[in-house]
Amino acid sequence: MILIRNFSKKFTAKMAILACIAIATRTGGRHMTAAAFCVAKSSAGSTASTAATTRAFSRNSLPFLAGSTCYGSSSHSKVLATSAASLLSSSALMSTTATQEDVEKVAAVEHPSYEIVSKDVVTEYGAYCTIYRHKKTGAEILSVHNDDDNKVFGITFRTPPTDSTGVPHILEHSVLCGSRKYRTKEPFVQLLQGSLQTFLNAFTYPDRTCYVLASQNEKDFKNLINVYTDAVFHPRATSDPAVHAQEGWHLELEDKEQPLTYKGVVYNEMKGVYSSPDSRLYRQSQRSIFPSNTYSVDSGGDPKVIPNLSFEDFQQFHAKFYHPANSRIFFWGDDDVKQRLDLMDEYLCEFDESPESKPASVVEWQKKTITEPKWETHLYPVGDDQPETNMVMVNWLLNERPFTPTEDLIVGVLDHLLMGNGQSVLYKTLMESGLGSAITGGGLSDELLQATFSVGLKGVQSENAKKVEELVIKTLEKVLEEGFSDEEIASSMNTIEFRLREFNTGSYPKGLSFMLGAMSKWIYDRKPTDALKFEEPLAELKAMIAENGDAVFRDFLKEYLVNNMHRVTLELAPSKSLESEELKEEQDRLAAIKSSLSDDELDEVIKKTVELKALQASEDSPEDRATIPSLELADLKRDVTEYPIEVSDNESDSGVTVVRHELASTSGIAYVNFAVDTSGVDYNDIALLPIFTRIMTETGAGEYTDVQLSQRIGTHTGGVGVSLMKTSVNPDSVPSYAIYEGNNMISKLSIRGKATSDKTGELFSIFKLILTEAKIDSKKKVVEMLKETKSRIESSIQGSGHSYANTRIKARYSVGGFLDEKMGGISYLSTVNELIKQAETDWDSVLKRLENIRSAILNNATCRSGMILDITGDKAVMDAIKPSVEEFLKSLPGDANGEKLQDFYNTEHPWATKAKEEMASIAPLKDEGFVVPTQVSYVGKGGLLFEEGEKVHGSSAVVSRYLRTGYLWDHVRVIGGAYGGFCTFNPMGGDGVFTFLSYRDPNLDKTIDVYDATADVLLKAAEELENDPEALATAIIGAVGDLDGALSPDQKGNKSFNRWLLRQTPEERQQFRDEILNTKASDFKDFALRLKNMKKTSVSVVSSKAAFESAAKAGKVMELKQVF
């Protein structure tokens, strides 16, 4: 489940909510954060964890067409017009086998239970939209018909809270715990276990709650809709207090001599959220500028207030807001529209109209009541060894009325001009000021009724706090006076338009992006399609720019920021005692409650604790399980999906390998990955590679300053980025799916970019420029990057400790895992601190190391041999870019007839040799605890499940997923109260390491006990599965669903490239899929026996000092390390 927080820093690019103007103008959706945990489908079908959502077991902008209007400069007009000529619009991709009239008839069918409110076509995305109103209840349905087989359904309720008990958030969790028709304790989990869903989740916003699902299988799609719809309208939660206790909060006591404790999934989730200084800052920001409407309280719940939520208030909230009259229902895809309406009518017809439901949920506008800017100071917890620096963020409430679509676009472009990237004027000025270590706030946030703008710095010395506010204001005033250049405007406009036209949502369903975009208007009773049509406002904005130039943006800057006095500056000051004070406050509160209870009342608390745990541990009856709709093995696709690939070694005698993926359509866009070998980089310098990749795009190159380079990239491409790619590979003598020690690997510097076919020449020119002429000699910039990296890692450890625990565990067993730890794990924080010190006191030595990295990468004798140019495009794109490819290959550095690099598939990588020497001392095989200021734990344990040379059977994907969605979910999350409990294992070979992990966990030693009992539980399950073919089939179906997620064109190309790099054959992939499909109960037993005998087990935990002390008393002793 995802908690959307308005003032958060990032909602992660994975959600890709870029379908509408307001959302596409953001850089990677940075203004929304999911304060929860997610398990996302990876392209390999294994499981990756991220700090994003919890109940999701599922994963950027459109090419730049310029219209006929210029930007006030003939050169810019020419640039954009040329780009426009080559890009296909989304609507152009629609099927031409039917006339528009035919499509409209299919899309807007009439139905006796509904009236048609309006019909519309969002031609930008080929979407035929019909809004229906259910006659009996008044429920509204937005039915979008197109040819997308990744069908999406969503139902959203406006749910504005009046307090911070977290009732909308708790209810969002609770309604999915059984319903009238679907009677198991956790239908949601059963769906995860045996569905082909491509997305399944729910979101709690500050003012609304969304339930969303997607599937490419129509039978599965209807099953999911039925379960979700029955859940929201007829949940067990409103009649069973145990659900409220489990998901929300309850008092827990097992013995009268023990202290009373609070437990509950949401309660513990929010303790984790409030452990994050960033979350505290954003929460205070929202409260401060919305003093008198629903946004002044926390819809997710304040841990200090959550225990005030009674079951009666919980019931009443559902009754008030979860009526069809207060719902907005959404469909997207190629399924039959009449069947959509029939299905909804089955549920809606049971209700009568409720005229008061919609008015009761209206979100009131916050008036600009602050006439003089305010300053507030609050505290945040820091560790004993953590630097005592402040956080400062300046916040504005922007609008008191709805923005028009064109105004939405103007504000979005203005935000990009100010904060869109590291070279945008406000972002750059703050970072280069030296007043802080990292940006906070991120700029525009506009997914709620009213838009806000927030920006500031972290890592600020207390004496500089006021200077941060002064710098923000002075910079905006300076921009107002001096304006924006034509180049700045062209770059920002092109970047945003590319996003809009490409409509690239990654592996997330396009319908999800469309729905969330529409909901940003529809939820406030405005026309939903207005949020998605960009052609008209884009043309209008271009005309305004042509006539008035940058005055368009300066006028908005003046009205909504510079002259806007509804402004609050938040300062968070460090406190070394706050964590212990808050813990004591909770303990004192619980002690007071306990002392006020009689013996009989204490007995009642103990009784309820026992009853709840017994309920949580109990199995659903066969009759209840039978109520959950499911697929059959016959519904599954048997064959692996293969993607086109053509490999040209030494193309045109260049010495470079060119890999091509020709797809049916890529909308006129070329997706390019240029990989350059890094094996020659000295092992002692590899810790600098993450910074080196940033330098390549952020400090300027050749004759271009950092700003000019950013503008060139934004004006001519859809984006350019650099990253380090490191992949373990097996020798020719070892099968692809076998365990190998990891001494063989491919390491590349990957330069990725995308552009319309007529702009690939520019794209390739930029690639070469940043590869050969990046300005690596900027001490100030490098120090800024290092400090920003330090700040990011510290925040990430507190909020995503499970990922650091996992990386640390894996570092003990394989070279690849150790290198991941060395270049990005918890120990990398110490490395970054050392690099900061070295860069500040001995810059020449750091510069020399950076120069050595580039020299090694561009070694004249060998670099061509290690270069790979990977291109994804349609036939028209491939044909059009041939000359650009030829020119690029000729222009590259290095000798085309030079030496061949060593064969890394069959010889040890140079880094591996050095890494093995360090592993024992830097990542010892021992139980470790990492101490940080936090109210929750992230508990990891792992070991070697398979040893070198052993082949991993495909059934392991089924079994590990079964554990993740069954036993671990039940015992770590449901019973233990953690926000997430799961396991990781690469079923396609790899290092053979299996890990257990928990997320925002109130327990530590008890969670390790759960892990230790897994093998015995799985042995018992294997016996039961022998006589339960339906349960076995469910497990197989879920694993197959992980393999078959929907992919965007660039992802298809990337998947094909990775398969080639790993030297996997189609036959091997098919065998792996067949092994999954043919999984037997005996495979569960074999896996359980391996777990029982797992070798070299070790623990890694991120938690508080108090939690480690408590665990030690329970016999779980670890070597502790204070992180900060």
Side-chain angles (χ1 to χ4, degrees), residues 185 246 250 252-254 263 606-618 970-971 974-976 1003 1006:
K185 299 194 303 293
Q246 172 183 291
H250 64 275
E252 185 164 297
L253 187 66
E254 294 180 323
K263 284 291 182 70
I606 293 172
K607 178 185 175 185
K608 287 183 177 180
T609 298
V610 172
E611 289 175 347
L612 179 59
K613 290 193 173 184
L615 174 65
Q616 292 168 331
S618 65
D970 290 340
H971 288 78
V974 176
I975 298 175
N1003 306 305
K1006 291 180 180 178

Side-chain angles (χ1 to χ4, degrees), residues 109 111 114 132 141 337-345:
V109 302
H111 191 287
Y114 303 86
Y132 295 90
I141 297 178
V337 173
K338 183 179 183 302
Q339 291 181 18
R340 296 175 175 176
L341 300 175
D342 287 341
L343 179 55
M344 281 298 98
D345 188 44

Side-chain angles (χ1 to χ4, degrees), residues 807-1079:
T807 302
R808 185 65 179 180
I809 292 170
K810 287 177 173 290
R812 300 163 183 159
Y813 303 100
S814 71
V815 168
F818 177 75
L819 291 172
D820 288 339
E821 169 71 14
K822 186 176 179 68
M823 292 189 281
I826 202 161
S827 62
Y828 184 58
L829 179 59
S830 297
T831 302
V832 170
N833 285 328
E834 292 168 3
L835 287 171
I836 292 172
K837 183 178 179 180
Q838 184 182 9
E840 289 180 330
T841 60
D842 186 10
W843 167 247
D844 288 345
S845 66
V846 174
L847 177 58
K848 181 63 176 175
R849 294 173 69 185
L850 293 171
E851 290 171 342
N852 289 342
I853 289 174
R854 181 155 66 187
S855 296
I857 291 171
L858 299 180
N859 181 288
N860 187 69
T862 58
C863 69
R864 289 280 186 114
S865 174
M867 291 177 175
I868 304 172
L869 181 62
D870 179 52
I871 307 170
T872 299
D874 52 40
K875 187 178 188 306
V877 167
M878 294 296 194
D879 290 343
I881 69 174
K882 281 181 181 178
S884 297
V885 172
E886 289 290 328
E887 183 62 32
F888 179 58
L889 294 178
K890 290 177 184 177
S891 71
L892 288 170
D895 184 355
N897 299 308
E899 302 171 15
K900 289 287 185 183
L901 281 173
Q902 69 186 76
D903 177 6
F904 292 112
Y905 291 93
N906 295 296
T907 59
E908 184 170 287
H909 194 286
W911 297 352
T913 307
K914 294 286 188 178
K916 286 186 291 185
E917 296 173 3
E918 285 190 346
M919 284 177 65
S921 60
I922 295 179
L925 189 64
K926 61 174 63 174
D927 295 344
E928 294 177 299
F930 298 94
V931 182
V932 300
T934 181
Q935 299 180 53
V936 292
S937 297
Y938 302 91
V939 184
K941 182 172 184 176
L944 285 174
L945 198 62
F946 287 79
E947 294 188 285
E948 185 179 349
E950 291 186 298
K951 184 181 180 300
V952 181
H953 194 269
S955 62
S956 63
V958 181
V959 184
S960 57
R961 192 181 194 281
Y962 177 87
L963 287 174
R964 194 166 60 245
T965 61
Y967 171 72
L968 293 173
W969 176 281
D970 290 340
H971 288 78
V972 177
R973 183 190 183 281
V974 176
I975 298 175
Y979 200 47
F982 49 102
C983 57
T984 73
F985 179 70
N986 181 0
M988 306 181 84
D991 54 16
V993 177
F994 182 95
T995 62
F996 297 99
L997 298 166
S998 71
Y999 180 76
R1000 289 182 180 163
D1001 194 341
N1003 306 305
L1004 200 167
D1005 55 286
K1006 291 180 180 178
T1007 298
I1008 295 174
D1009 290 339
V1010 170
Y1011 298 162
D1012 292 343
T1014 303
D1016 290 333
V1017 171
L1018 189 57
L1019 281 170
K1020 182 181 178 182
E1023 294 177 7
E1024 295 170 350
L1025 288 169
E1026 288 282 3
N1027 302 308
D1028 194 346
E1030 290 184 1
L1032 179 60
T1034 295
I1036 293 170
I1037 291 166
V1040 171
D1042 281 347
L1043 297 177
D1044 294 341
L1047 301 177
S1048 60
D1050 56 315
Q1051 288 179 317
K1052 291 176 182 178
N1054 190 53
K1055 186 165 191 172
S1056 180
F1057 176 76
N1058 287 334
R1059 287 172 169 178
W1060 170 76
L1061 201 64
L1062 293 170
R1063 293 188 174 181
Q1064 293 174 351
T1065 67
E1067 293 76 20
E1068 287 173 323
R1069 289 191 286 273
Q1070 188 60 52
Q1071 180 183 347
F1072 179 76
R1073 189 180 184 93
D1074 290 342
E1075 288 172 352
I1076 289 177
L1077 289 166
N1078 296 319
T1079 296

Side-chain angles (χ1 to χ4, degrees), residues 41 90 127 169 181 214 248 253 269 283 304 359 410 506 519 566 756 765 819-820 835 841 853 1005 1024 1056 1111:
K41 287 183 179 176
S90 298
H169 189 193
K181 288 169 62 176
L253 187 66
E269 175 198 352
R283 173 68 217 119
K304 295 179 181 178
I410 292 171
M519 206 60 65
H566 192 101
T756 54
S765 177
L819 291 172
D820 288 339
L835 287 171
T841 60
I853 289 174
D1005 55 286
E1024 295 170 350
S1056 180

Side-chain angles (χ1 to χ4, degrees), residues 392-446:
V392 180
M393 189 160 71
V394 189
N395 311 278
W396 286 266
L397 173 64
L398 298 189
N399 55 318
E400 294 179 287
R401 60 164 181 81
F403 282 138
T404 66
T406 302
E407 288 173 329
D408 274 331
L409 185 55
I410 292 171
V411 173
V413 176
L414 175 60
D415 176 54
H416 192 273
L417 287 163
L418 295 172
M419 295 290 297
N421 55 51
Q423 287 67 51
S424 297
V425 58
L426 183 54
Y427 193 110
K428 178 180 171 69
T429 301
L430 285 169
M431 279 305 300
E432 293 184 352
S433 69
L435 294 175
S437 61
I439 295 290
T440 189
L444 177 68
S445 179
D446 57 0

Side-chain angles (χ1 to χ4, degrees), residues 460-724:
V460 179
Q461 297 298 322
S462 58
E463 63 270 20
N464 290 332
K466 290 286 184 181
K467 293 179 183 178
V468 174
E469 180 190 54
E470 291 170 5
L471 182 59
V472 169
I473 303 304
K474 286 181 179 179
T475 303
L476 294 176
E477 290 173 343
K478 182 179 179 182
V479 172
L480 179 60
E481 179 182 348
E482 297 179 357
F484 299 101
S485 69
D486 290 346
E487 291 78 11
E488 287 175 292
I489 295 172
S491 178
S492 290
M493 288 287 288
N494 201 67
T495 298
I496 290 165
E497 190 174 352
F498 197 104
R499 290 175 181 168
L500 287 166
R501 296 193 187 283
E502 186 190 16
F503 197 18
N504 187 337
T505 61
S507 55
Y508 278 116
K510 289 185 182 295
L512 170 63
S513 292
F514 195 98
M515 187 200 89
L516 296 179
M519 206 60 65
S520 68
K521 304 296 181 187
W522 194 17
I523 199 70
Y524 305 118
D525 300 318
R526 302 201 290 275
K527 189 176 180 181
T529 51
D530 282 352
L532 300 150
K533 295 181 176 183
F534 62 81
E535 292 288 10
E536 187 175 324
L538 188 59
E540 185 177 343
L541 176 54
K542 289 178 181 178
M544 293 169 68
I545 294 171
E547 181 176 353
N548 301 308
D550 71 333
V552 176
F553 304 108
R554 283 196 290 157
D555 289 347
F556 267 67
L557 175 64
K558 181 178 181 180
E559 178 178 355
Y560 293 105
L561 291 175
V562 175
N563 289 348
N564 181 2
M565 294 298 104
H566 192 101
R567 185 180 87 218
V568 181
T569 300
L570 266 295
E571 176 187 13
L572 254 63
S575 170
K576 293 187 182 294
S577 62
L578 184 61
E579 181 184 7
S580 58
E581 289 169 2
E582 291 183 336
L583 179 60
K584 185 176 185 303
E585 180 183 337
E586 179 183 302
Q587 291 171 341
D588 289 347
R589 180 180 181 183
L590 287 163
I593 293 172
K594 186 179 179 184
S595 65
S596 70
L597 299 177
S598 65
D599 278 355
D600 288 344
E601 288 170 326
L602 287 173
D603 287 338
E604 183 65 20
V605 173
I606 293 172
K607 178 185 175 185
K608 287 183 177 180
T609 298
V610 172
E611 289 175 347
L612 179 59
K613 290 193 173 184
L615 174 65
Q616 292 168 331
S618 65
E619 296 290 333
D620 292 309
S621 69
E623 294 79 15
D624 287 344
R625 287 193 64 89
T627 66
I628 306 299
S630 61
L631 298 174
E632 299 173 356
L633 291 177
D635 296 317
L636 303 181
K637 184 165 69 76
R638 309 292 300 188
D639 296 329
V640 172
T641 301
E642 297 291 341
Y643 301 103
I645 186 168
E646 177 186 319
V647 181
S648 174
D649 294 315
N650 190 24
E651 176 149 325
S652 302
D653 296 322
S654 64
V656 178
T657 299
V658 179
V659 182
R660 293 178 174 87
H661 315 277
E662 186 176 303
L663 304 180
S665 174
T666 58
S667 303
I669 303 171
Y671 296 96
V672 185
N673 173 25
F674 181 50
V676 185
D677 189 79
T678 61
S679 62
V681 175
D682 190 278
Y683 179 77
N684 294 319
D685 292 333
I686 64 175
L688 271 169
L689 280 170
I691 295 299
F692 187 84
T693 61
R694 288 188 60 185
I695 290 173
M696 288 177 66
T697 58
E698 295 183 30
T699 61
E703 63 182 286
Y704 294 87
T705 65
D706 58 339
V707 173
Q708 291 168 336
L709 177 61
S710 174
Q711 290 171 358
R712 185 180 176 191
I713 291 171
T715 301
H716 298 290
T717 78
V720 173
V722 187
S723 61
L724 182 65

